[in-house]
């Protein structure tokens, strides 16, 4: 019997938080995984070792997704390690909350550079390099629906990601590749928890009818669906994974 070569998943921002949970889950589902990170080398390497111990195949690759050349080298590294890429999960992102009046240029530019241009950079590489039958999962956020004060710039970058998702799905006509976005609600990671008082976290956790925060594994399960065989007829869509908050 011919053994099937494992599919390859590239997860951006996989050193911590949701990205690390996605990498773990996809490794469990049989993917070889590229664990991308920008700064957190030690957690990324530890995650790779953990996945290898459980029988998975993984490599950690440093690349700032906002930099075109580094993203090109990230795909090069994936091809060198595992021969190609089947699944791209555009998880890397940052959030800097402030009213429009109080947002400085640096904060605006960094959020646009990582969340929007970072997603664009990997999509542009994927356009020519993702293998037939592949899957792309971009990261939006449920704040695109909630639209609360202080979220203007962050939500704008994620609305841009949603727009690119639908357009890119159409541009890949004929390649048998689906392009979808996931839009988590409040999820227990550094990005959400940092700088919030426990009462604020408690209040936000209770907003969803399921009355708890999302866990990275909740989001990873939804990403695994969009990255796997069962989502083959879902294309150009945004899946809100938020316990019913909106
Ligand atoms: P997190 O815990 O802060 O982790 C962010 C990850 O992104 C880290 O692995 C970080 O790696 C990486 N990263 C940051 N800048 C990068 C860059 N320039 N290039 C490559 N990697 C970079 O965040 P999270 O909560 O897991 O968020 C993951 C995604 O979900 C983001 O797109 C976020 O907007 C979205 N999201 C989160 C929530 C939530 O409530 N947590 C809700 C909706 C949407 P380094 O440490 O190496 O920099």
């Amino acid at each position: 019997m011919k053994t099937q070569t494992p599919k390859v998943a590239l997860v951006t921002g996989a050193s911590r938080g949701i990205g690390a949970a996605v990498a773990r889950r996809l490794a469990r589902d049989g993917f070889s995984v590229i664990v991308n990170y920008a700064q957190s080398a030690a957690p990324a390497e530890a995650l790779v070792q953990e996945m290898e111990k459980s029988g998975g195949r993984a490599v950690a690759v440093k690349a700032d997704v906002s930099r075109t050349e580094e993203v090109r080298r990230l795909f090069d590294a994936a091809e060198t390690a595992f021969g190609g890429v089947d699944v791209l999960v555009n998880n890397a992102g940052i959030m800097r909350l402030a009213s429009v009046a109080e947002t400085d240029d640096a904060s605006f530019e960094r959020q646009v550079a990582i969340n929007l241009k970072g997603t664009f950079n990997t999509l542009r590489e994927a356009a020519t390099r993702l293998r037939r039958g592949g899957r792309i999962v971009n990261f939006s956020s449920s704040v695109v629906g909630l639209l609360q004060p202080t979220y203007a710039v962050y939500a704008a970058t994620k609305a841009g990601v949603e727009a690119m998702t639908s357009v890119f799905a159409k541009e890949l006509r004929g390649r048998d590749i689906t392009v979808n976005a996931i839009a988590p609600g409040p999820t227990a990671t550094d990005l959400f928890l940092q700088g919030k008082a426990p009462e604020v976290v408690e209040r936000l956790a209770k907003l969803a009818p399921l009355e708890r925060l999302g866990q990275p594994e909740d989001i990873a399960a939804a990403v695994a669906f969009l990255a796997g065989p069962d989502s083959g007829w879902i294309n150009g869509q945004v899946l809100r994974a938020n316990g019913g908050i909106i």
Side-chain angles (χ1 to χ4, degrees):
M1 200 173 73
K2 204 173 145 205
T3 340
Q4 236 188 346
T5 321
K7 292 211 169 190
V8 179
L10 193 172
V11 184
T12 67
S15 50
R16 302 182 282 118
I18 294 170
V22 169
R24 265 191 201 99
R25 172 61 195 256
L26 293 183
R28 221 173 74 204
D29 289 356
F31 287 90
S32 301
V33 181
I34 291 95
V35 173
N36 160 250
Y37 66 97
Q39 290 170 45
S40 306
E45 294 293 353
L47 178 59
V48 166
Q49 281 182 16
E50 177 197 317
M51 293 192 298
E52 284 176 340
K53 259 193 198 144
S54 318
R57 300 204 314 162
V59 286
V61 180
K62 181 178 164 76
D64 179 339
V65 294
S66 72
R67 296 175 181 270
T68 306
E69 191 46 45
E70 292 186 26
V71 169
R72 200 166 291 145
R73 287 204 297 266
L74 171 62
F75 274 76
D76 291 346
E79 289 171 358
T80 303
F82 298 128
V85 180
D86 301 287
V87 169
L88 166 65
V89 181
N90 263 319
N91 163 84
I94 60 166
M95 179 172 80
R96 303 279 181 268
L97 299 183
S99 67
V100 169
E102 285 170 347
T103 299
D104 60 24
D105 285 3
S107 170
F108 177 91
E109 279 155 18
R110 199 67 193 132
Q111 289 181 88
V112 170
I114 295 175
N115 300 355
L116 191 55
K117 177 142 192 280
T119 301
F120 162 75
N121 279 337
T122 58
L123 292 183
R124 187 168 51 184
E125 288 303 311
T128 51
R129 301 175 77 163
L130 213 71
R131 289 195 285 223
R132 202 175 168 78
R135 302 264 189 268
I136 297 175
V137 184
N138 292 328
F139 264 71
S140 177
S141 164
S142 291
V143 303
V144 170
L146 290 163
L147 296 173
Q148 301 134 317
T150 73
Y151 285 82
V153 177
Y154 177 72
T157 64
K158 296 300 191 180
V161 167
E162 291 193 8
M164 279 200 292
T165 298
S166 306
V167 172
F168 198 55
K170 291 172 187 152
E171 290 180 356
L172 291 188
R173 173 181 290 275
R175 298 273 307 282
D176 193 20
I177 294 172
T178 65
V179 188
N180 293 292
I182 182 133
T187 308
T189 67
D190 292 346
L191 177 140
F192 171 76
L193 295 168
Q194 259 170 18
K196 291 191 177 79
E199 317 74 83
V200 177
V201 171
E202 182 70 7
R203 184 172 55 75
L204 292 172
K206 287 276 181 317
L207 283 181
L210 296 183
E211 295 194 311
R212 66 170 176 85
L213 286 182
Q215 294 300 319
E217 293 71 24
D218 294 319
I219 309 306
V223 171
F225 165 65
L226 292 175
D230 289 345
S231 64
W233 197 231
I234 299 174
N235 192 16
Q237 306 301 311
V238 179
L239 175 59
R240 286 183 177 162
N242 60 27
I245 201 167
I246 184 163

